[in-house]
Every structure is written in structure tokens, then in C-alpha cells.
Amino acid sequence: MHGVREAAVVAQGSGAAASLVAYVAADRLEVADWRSRLTQSLPAHMVPSRFVRVDALPLTANGKLDRSRLPADEPQAVDCDVRPEGREETVIARAWASLLKRERVDRGADFFTLGGHSLLAVQASERIGRELGRRVPVSLLYRTPRLVDLAAAIREQKPSEAADIVRLNERAGAPVVFLVHPVGGDVLCYRELADSRQCTVGLVGLPRDDSDGLVRPRYRSIEELAESHALRILTTQPAGPYCLAGWSIGGLVAMEIAAWLSERGHTVAYLGLIDTVLQQPLAGAPGFSDLRRWARAQTCGAHRRRVQGLTALAGHEYRPRRTWDTAHYYQADDPVAAGARHGGPQRLGSFFDRGLLTRHFAADHFSIVRRPVADDLAHAISQDARRALEVLTA
């Protein structure tokens, strides 16, 4: 990077307090520029949360970094070590400090570099939304993980605004694959896929946009969910060809999105199903209205269970209404994996004229989207999507 003579990154703390500190030999501290550049080439968890400027890195007699002589990581070394300002920043800082077990959170802090993860992100969004009296979708936190940026985004957001797409990574000039949320409604489960160095395509997440904890679901079926997502895709990318994928029940929604787009003259080049299962109808299952009444009775903090229940019921009731040419199936082979238990590729294969192109992974239904397997999956998705586009345009 311009102006940087040498640098070293040191891990400090442990658990929720763990963080990376970069010691940089440079004439001046340019944290905003450095962080921006590093974010483009490194996974979020590898970008230092703090930067300390030094004239030169201390070395041992053997020419190695002498960690014992590194200067203390003083507060002024942080790019934005300033206490929160205004109501939104104060509410966010209080919520983060409580969830992340921090004595203090400054306005320049980044949620994920402080130790935040997907479950804590959901809790933080709920808590901030309740205190501010408005909906704060978890996707907003993912797009703007710095406290000061999140506060600004909340101020600028319309109260009734639905969850937007989530750009999970940035791959300039690369094809884009749209990833549909699984049963929980959010797309943070794809974070490790997006951060992988093996991922050579842009990943855009499609979260469920009625997961606001108010138990006012707009969608009563996979078909209704798919239409909503398809319209958001067209707003983001007006012309095809399109690449779609989804994990678990998200694969069923991706299938229906592909059908919706194809019926309207759009081209779908790639369809990826990640350990997706076509469920059996539930004998004696409650109707949607019954499930909705049950959902209303739950406490506000349980909105994830409500969304899961509503989406799962829609998945059990879904039956593909058409056939496709082919799709790529990524099967987790562990005996407890959904696809392995329920014959995912076999049951779905009948809906594809040329069958499914199946890849196998030594994982269960959940670890398939987590490291280290996520690296292999990211490589497979990238390779298959790129090849499908090349065949289409050849």
C-alpha cells in the first residue's frame, strides 16, 4: 500500500476480546484507506481492528520481529476512538457492549472485529430495533458493521423499508451468484463462503424481508417468497443471464425463482442446490393461520423461531410445478445431513430433464457452509457458475 514501508499484525486478547492489531511503519496514519484496501482482498475477520504507527518495526539480532519491543496499543492509535454521539450511536454502543462483553464501544468500532458473529448480529439487531422503536434488519448490520456507519444507515432508512439485498463480498468484474436465505430468514450463514479465498464470484444474499419480529408475514408459500426475491434480483440486475443458489430450503426457493424468471423470458445460466431436500407433506400439519396464531403467542425475542416455523411449513407444502434442464447439487455426505437422510438428489432429480450434477462433501448439513468445507464449496460454486456462463455464451 502507498506510503507503507513495512507492517506486522499481532493477535491480542482471547475469546470475545480477541482482536488483530497492525503495527505499520509509515510516515502517517491513514487507517481509512488501509482498511478499505484490506477489506477488498482479505476476509473480514483478517482485517485488523486497530492500527499503530511506528517509525520502524523492532527486530531481533536474527532479523525477526521482536514482539516484546512493539509499542503499547494505546487508545489514540485507533482511527476513530471517540465516544458515541446522538441517540442512534448511543443505543448501538450500549447493545454491542452488552452482547460482546465490552466495557466500552467507540463510534469507530466494527461489530465483527470485536467478536460479533451471526447469532449475536441477530440479537443486536433485535435489541437496537426495540430500543429505537423501529425495524433494524440484520442485513443492515452486515452491510455497515462500523458503529458510526450503522447509525447513519438507520437514520437514513425509511421506517417501513424492507430488507434489501446483502452484498456478501466484492469481486470486481466477476459473475454474481444470488444466494437465497435458509429457514432462518437471514444470509449471515453464507459469510464464510463469501470470505473464502476460493470464492472467485460475487455473492449477493437475499434475506427474507418480512422477518421483522412483528409476526406479519407477507408470504404464505415458497412461490410468494420466490416472486418477491425475483423482483429484487431484477431491480439489482435488470438483465440476465442469472446465477442462483440456496442452502437447505433456500434451494427450493432458488428453484422457484428460476422458474419465475424463465417464464418471463429471462435466462438462468446456473442453479445451485446446497444439501436441499424436497420435504414430504406433513400429515396433520397445522394450517398457515394456525401456525400464525401460535407465532403471535411467542415472545418478541423468539422471532427467529417464528420465521423458521413459517418458512419450514411453506417448504413442506411446496411441490415444483415444472421441470428444469439441470442443476448443480452439493451434497453433504455425513449420515446426519439432510440430503443424505432424505435422498435429496434422488427425489429432486425427477424434476430435472438431464438430472442433477452432484458433488459430494465430507460434511453434515450445517458444516457444509462453514470452514474448512466452506472453502471447497466456494471453489465448486465459483467453478460451476463460471463454467455455466461460459457454455451459455460460447
Side-chain angles (χ1 to χ4, degrees), residues 265-279:
H266 300 285
T267 301
V268 176
Y270 163 81
L271 177 60
L273 310 177
I274 306 171
D275 208 45
T276 294
V277 174
L278 183 61
Q279 299 281 5

Side-chain angles (χ1 to χ4, degrees), residues 283-350:
F288 186 91
S289 59
D290 294 330
L291 185 58
R292 190 174 181 181
R293 281 195 293 272
W294 167 83
R296 281 203 187 96
Q298 306 305 304
T299 60
C300 183
H303 87 271
R304 260 177 90 80
R305 289 202 305 275
R306 293 198 296 274
V307 174
Q308 289 173 347
L310 295 168
T311 309
L313 179 59
H316 277 283
E317 294 181 343
Y318 174 68
R319 286 297 171 271
R321 54 193 170 84
R322 56 157 289 171
T323 59
W324 292 259
D325 179 35
T326 189
H328 294 265
Y329 192 93
Y330 307 101
Q331 179 171 343
D333 284 337
D334 189 283
V336 301
R341 285 202 320 271
H342 301 291
Q346 290 77 22
R347 295 193 62 209
L348 282 170
S350 61

Side-chain angles (χ1 to χ4, degrees), residues 214-225:
L214 302 178
V215 199
R216 297 173 184 166
R218 273 178 248 140
Y219 314 119
R220 297 168 178 260
S221 66
I222 294 293
E223 291 84 353
E224 290 183 5
L225 264 174

Side-chain angles (χ1 to χ4, degrees), residues 20 25 83 116 337 349 365:
L20 295 177
R83 291 186 181 276
H365 185 62

Side-chain angles (χ1 to χ4, degrees), residues 140-151:
L140 195 63
L141 172 55
Y142 195 96
R143 292 199 305 273
T144 53
R146 290 182 72 234
L147 189 151
V148 64
D149 297 331
L150 177 60

